[in-house]
Amino acid sequence: MLLPFLAAYLLLVPSASATVGSTDVIRAALQTTVDCASCLALWTELKPVAESGDDALIIQLTNLCIELGAADPDVCAGVVAGAGPVLGQDFRQINVTGPTGEKLCSALMGVCFSNAVDPFTVQFPKPAPANPTVFKSRGRAPFRVVHISDVHIDRGYTPGSSANCTKPLCCRDFADSPSIVTDPAGPNGNANCDTPVSLADSMLEAIERLNPSFSIFTGDVAERLVWLVNQSDVSADLEDFNSEMAAKLSAPIFPSLGNHDTAPVNLFARTTSHTANNSQFVFDIQSAGWERWIKESAAFQVEHDSGSYSAQVSGTNLRILAVNTQYWYNQNFWLYDSDVFQPDPNGILAFMVDQLQAAEDAGARVWIIGHIPIGSSSMLFDQSNYYDQVLQRYKNTIAGQFFGHSHMDQFEIAYSNYSDQTAQTAVSAALIAPALTPNSGNPAFKVYSIDPDTYEVMDASVFFTNASTPQFQINPQWGLFYSARETYGPLVGLSPSEPLTPAFWHNLTEVFATNETAFQMYNTFLTRGGAVVPCDAACQNTTICDLRAFRAQNNCDVPTPGFSLRRRGGGVLHETEACEGIGIAHIMSNMVAALA
Ligand SMILES: *[C@@H]1O[C@H](CO)[C@@H](O)[C@H](O)[C@H]1NC(C)=O
Ligand SMILES: *[C@@H]1O[C@H](CO)[C@@H](O)[C@H](O)[C@H]1NC(C)=O
Ligand SMILES: *[C@@H]1O[C@H](CO)[C@@H](O)[C@H](O)[C@H]1NC(C)=O
Ligand SMILES: *[C@@H]1O[C@H](CO)[C@@H](O)[C@H](O)[C@H]1NC(C)=O
Ligand SMILES: *[C@@H]1O[C@H](CO)[C@@H](O)[C@H](O)[C@H]1NC(C)=O
Ligand SMILES: *[C@@H]1O[C@H](CO)[C@@H](O)[C@H](O)[C@H]1NC(C)=O
Ligand SMILES: *[C@@H]1O[C@H](CO)[C@@H](O)[C@H](O)[C@H]1NC(C)=O
Ligand SMILES: *[C@@H]1O[C@H](CO)[C@@H](O)[C@H](O)[C@H]1NC(C)=O
Ligand SMILES: *[C@@H]1O[C@H](CO)[C@@H](O)[C@H](O)[C@H]1NC(C)=O
């Protein structure tokens, strides 16, 4: 017997065949989607469907997804319903065979890939000072800062439910869950699932015991069961975690927004998008929820500057500049709804420039925090390049950059000349925090030792809990995994008083290129020793290239046609799988694969 919800989808089939185009035509176009030209041909088929209405587009894509077994029916329906109206808007409003159509092919189908950047020169109010402020360490004792990311708390996590399911994430009682559970979810988490509340509480308690001066959080509160998450779910997720952080942490935490912190996932509309569908509800919730830590004027900015803000850290000369990176993200399909060149969606780069100029004028230092690393292969190359221009201009003011999203313990180096990558030309190092969710290795967070005069990083340690131990299900134990200074320092000959400079991180990549043992250790560290993905010589080469690519155009991840999500070393899905979770791009890939 058909499950009731599946029957509901199949009922839609007759109306689908009655609309413009048909699933057969789209199926045929999908089957031949192997390169750029055939992807543009697919868009040409989808455009009239979109013009006949979002419902037609959603029904046809959903039915094809179900017929081809690209995902479970509920996953097909939820994912397509989320992204469908925005893709429909894209198809209706752009020249689908022009440059915007090509960018959409790159993001959704992994074809039409290009390293080219649309030239744009960011304007600055003042030239870089001839004699920039020198921030000098007086050798005082460092203070401690905790960095958390990608908590992905699933408030529907159900201990005892099946951890072995056919969906992208498990550990919930789904309508079609089998009645006999062979692999029950434990109380504190499972590798096939997002984070139960008990694990998030346990991490916050571990952080509190470390007594940091403050913490930073680089986003992604909500669970990645994106086919289910609606605006009321994500609103509750954001509010609940704000309350939990406030209850458990006595020091302030400076948060930023992730791509999962809205619904439908990833879709932050541009102010130019002529739509009531935007993420203002997110900005409103976080403005109110974060005010206790970031204070009134920054909370006002969150509400009026699309989730970005700049906040002074009390008792320091340090400002936290939080940026909403989702306006530069290739899976935000609102960014393809116009052929008009929009170099700075929602003015986030202009906001950064204003805040950085104010900090420079005040002789203050700045840390930038955000969700998606600027050099990630899923960043739009244009905006990544423009951001890098801002970084180059204010490199003396910016003492640190911190991101998440990849779920891995990584870093990315920016150079004054990307054709000449040396310790001398390294100008900034972005530190990327691992995830809490047990779905991407062992749950972890980072702890920094910070020089109180320069706000530079003296050490970066990873703390973790081992999800494979029996103790984890009883009461997770958190402890030091490794310290970058202790582990990597001797490999590059770091001197005792020196911070972890961009030159240090560059020299470490030189070690990774020549010392196989050291590189494999790094590869193990990525996932905190759990779910380690083997990395061969080609993967090693790509990995090192990516560490040196704060600009996405310099990234070496190669797209595989038909697989929208680019893969490290062209092999196993690595970076992208964890952070994007299931999405419309995955569904499209699965459909192409099913037809191949
Ligand atoms: C905007 O929101 C309305 C109401 O929720 C919905 O019917 C419509 O499909 C949405 N449009 C887009 C482009 O997301
Ligand atoms: C759409 O873009 C293609 C490729 O650049 C171009 O040949 C065509 O003339 C454009 N169509 C319109 C209506 O602008
Ligand atoms: C998971 O489910 C599959 C398919 O039902 C089954 O073959 C496998 O043994 C299960 N694994 C565990 C660990 O229960
Ligand atoms: C959102 O989804 C939840 C279940 O996850 C459901 O209870 C609720 O009614 C939905 N809200 C809206 C506005 O659709
Ligand atoms: C960047 O480095 C390349 C390679 O060393 C060199 O040819 C080029 O002149 C450099 N560019 C600048 C602006 O220094
Ligand atoms: C990096 O390596 C260069 C060249 O070997 C060396 O001159 C420099 O001191 C090193 N810097 C750091 C911070 O390790
Ligand atoms: C290579 O790295 C390992 C640590 O991963 C270290 O023990 C060893 O001394 C390094 N070898 C050289 C030649 O530096
Ligand atoms: C985690 O625990 C398992 C089981 O005791 C052990 O095999 C593994 O080495 C541990 N991992 C780490 C990173 O400590
Ligand atoms: C990666 O491979 C290319 C081409 O073989 C080579 O030029 C480059 O030096 C390699 N990079 C690293 C970091 O090994």
Side-chain angles (χ1 to χ4, degrees):
M1 199 192 78
L2 283 173
L3 296 161
F5 66 89
L6 180 53
Y9 302 132
L10 295 179
L11 280 178
L12 299 171
V13 174
S15 67
S17 52
T19 56
V20 177
S22 77
T23 48
D24 288 346
V25 176
I26 298 172
R27 176 197 282 262
L30 260 175
Q31 188 155 18
T32 53
T33 301
V34 292
D35 58 13
C36 190
S38 50
C39 178
L40 299 177
L42 172 65
W43 290 174
T44 307
E45 295 295 344
L46 289 175
K47 186 179 175 88
V49 181
E51 277 164 350
S52 76
D54 288 339
D55 287 352
L57 183 69
I58 291 169
I59 289 165
Q60 298 211 20
L61 289 179
T62 302
N63 284 337
L64 263 181
C65 176
I66 295 171
E67 278 167 46
L68 295 172
D72 279 7
D74 54 341
V75 177
C76 287
V79 169
V80 175
V86 181
L87 290 175
Q89 186 107 324
D90 295 345
F91 292 137
R92 284 188 294 272
Q93 293 186 182
I94 63 168
N95 176 353
V96 289
T97 59
T100 315
E102 290 186 7
K103 285 183 177 168
L104 196 52
C105 281
S106 180
L108 259 181
M109 310 298 292
V111 292
C112 307
F113 169 74
S114 157
N115 271 334
V117 167
D118 286 329
F120 175 72
T121 304
V122 180
Q123 298 299 309
F124 302 109
K126 296 178 190 173
N131 298 303
T133 308
V134 178
F135 298 91
K136 252 187 106 57
S137 174
R138 288 180 277 159
R140 294 190 291 155
F143 64 84
R144 183 177 289 160
V145 173
V146 166
H147 180 183
I148 65 172
S149 207
D150 297 82
V151 296
H152 291 299
I153 301 165
D154 180 10
R155 291 175 193 278
Y157 184 100
T158 308
S161 66
S162 177
N164 180 18
C165 70
T166 51
K167 299 185 202 305
L169 290 150
C170 308
C171 303
R172 273 204 193 190
D173 284 324
F174 298 109
D176 56 349
S177 292
S179 49
I180 295 161
V181 173
T182 55
D183 188 12
N188 293 324
N190 184 287
N192 294 334
C193 311
D194 267 341
T195 307
V197 174
S198 61
L199 179 60
D201 282 348
S202 164
M203 179 183 72
L204 293 173
E205 286 157 16
I207 293 169
E208 183 63 9
R209 286 193 294 274
L210 291 169
N211 193 25
S213 298
F214 63 91
S215 298
I216 56 177
F217 170 35
T218 46
D220 269 8
V221 174
E223 68 274 37
R224 291 166 301 153
L225 294 88
V226 299
W227 66 99
L228 293 174
V229 174
N230 59 30
Q231 291 198 357
S232 33
D233 295 326
V234 85
S235 300
D237 284 337
L238 298 175
E239 283 166 348
D240 289 350
F241 192 53
N242 285 336
S243 303
E244 286 157 5
M245 289 191 290
K248 294 218 183 280
L249 302 177
S250 45
I253 181 158
F254 295 87
S256 53
L257 287 175
N259 59 304
H260 282 270
D261 297 333
T262 191
V265 67
N266 305 335
L267 303 177
F268 287 82
R270 289 187 288 203
T271 47
T272 52
S273 291
H274 301 300
T275 174
N277 305 56
N278 57 36
S279 297
Q280 190 60 42
F281 78 100
V282 171
F283 310 145
D284 294 345
I285 288 170
Q286 298 301 48
S287 173
W290 295 349
E291 185 169 346
R292 60 192 126 207
W293 303 301
I294 67 176
K295 305 304 177 204
E296 196 181 341
S297 74
F300 182 88
Q301 292 171 334
V302 170
E303 203 177 345
H304 296 94
D305 292 287
S306 305
S308 300
Y309 69 85
S310 170
Q312 182 80 34
V313 180
S314 158
T316 72
N317 192 25
L318 177 67
R319 298 177 186 191
I320 306 287
L321 174 53
V323 292
N324 185 345
T325 57
Q326 282 62 248
Y327 292 102
W328 313 321
Y329 183 35
N330 76 359
Q331 301 297 302
N332 178 0
F333 298 111
W334 280 115
L335 303 175
Y336 311 92
D337 73 345
S338 165
D339 287 324
V340 177
F341 179 53
Q342 297 180 51
D344 185 13
N346 288 33
I348 308 290
L349 293 168
F351 178 79
M352 289 179 69
V353 169
D354 281 352
Q355 301 306 320
L356 287 163
Q357 186 62 57
E360 181 181 276
D361 291 345
R365 281 211 122 173
V366 171
W367 283 3
I368 300 177
I369 67 170
H371 183 60
I372 308 173
I374 305 304
S376 161
S377 57
S378 53
M379 270 289 173
L380 290 167
F381 290 4
D382 290 351
Q383 279 71 33
S384 176
N385 177 289
Y386 312 154
Y387 179 116
D388 185 68
Q389 294 179 36
V390 176
L391 170 67
Q392 303 293 339
R393 164 63 184 83
Y394 294 102
K395 62 186 182 213
N396 189 61
T397 296
I398 299 166
Q401 301 192 83
F402 305 90
F403 300 94
H405 183 69
S406 70
H407 292 195
M408 291 193 282
D409 168 23
Q410 292 168 307
F411 58 94
E412 262 176 12
I413 305 160
Y415 298 87
S416 56
N417 182 348
Y418 285 88
S419 308
D420 179 27
Q421 297 175 319
T422 64
Q424 287 71 39
T425 60
V427 295
S428 184
L431 302 182
I432 300 167
L436 169 63
T437 177
N439 183 240
S440 348
N442 285 313
F445 58 87
K446 268 185 175 167
V447 179
Y448 303 119
S449 297
I450 303 300
D451 184 295
D453 298 307
T454 64
Y455 307 104
E456 289 164 0
V457 176
M458 302 303 294
D459 195 6
S461 301
V462 170
F463 279 64
F464 84 124
T465 181
N466 189 335
S468 312
T469 59
Q471 180 64 29
F472 175 76
Q473 296 301 347
I474 302 162
N475 180 19
Q477 303 296 301
W478 296 86
L480 178 69
F481 184 45
Y482 80 101
S483 135
R485 187 166 199 101
E486 279 170 24
T487 306
Y488 295 145
L491 296 175
V492 298
L494 184 68
S495 65
S497 60
E498 211 180 345
L500 306 185
T501 56
F504 161 82
W505 292 107
H506 174 84
N507 284 0
L508 183 60
T509 66
E510 302 270 5
V511 172
F512 289 165
T514 53
N515 182 336
E516 180 67 12
T517 314
F519 176 77
Q520 290 304 335
M521 181 174 68
Y522 169 76
N523 191 57
T524 304
F525 286 178
L526 285 174
T527 51
R528 293 72 72 194
V532 175
V533 178
C535 192
D536 63 11
C539 164
Q540 177 171 3
N541 187 299
T542 307
T543 302
I544 293 167
C545 166
D546 290 356
L547 290 173
R548 295 174 180 166
F550 184 79
R551 253 182 5 186
Q553 73 201 74
N554 299 93
N555 189 298
C556 291
D557 289 358
V558 282
T560 312
F563 289 97
S564 49
L565 305 173
R566 290 196 280 157
R567 292 158 181 222
R568 194 169 69 132
V572 214
L573 265 184
H574 204 289
E575 170 187 356
T576 38
E577 188 175 55
C579 34
E580 327 300 357
I582 188 87
I584 187 77
H586 244 102
I587 299 267
M588 299 301 276
S589 297
N590 288 353
M591 291 202 277
V592 171
L595 286 163

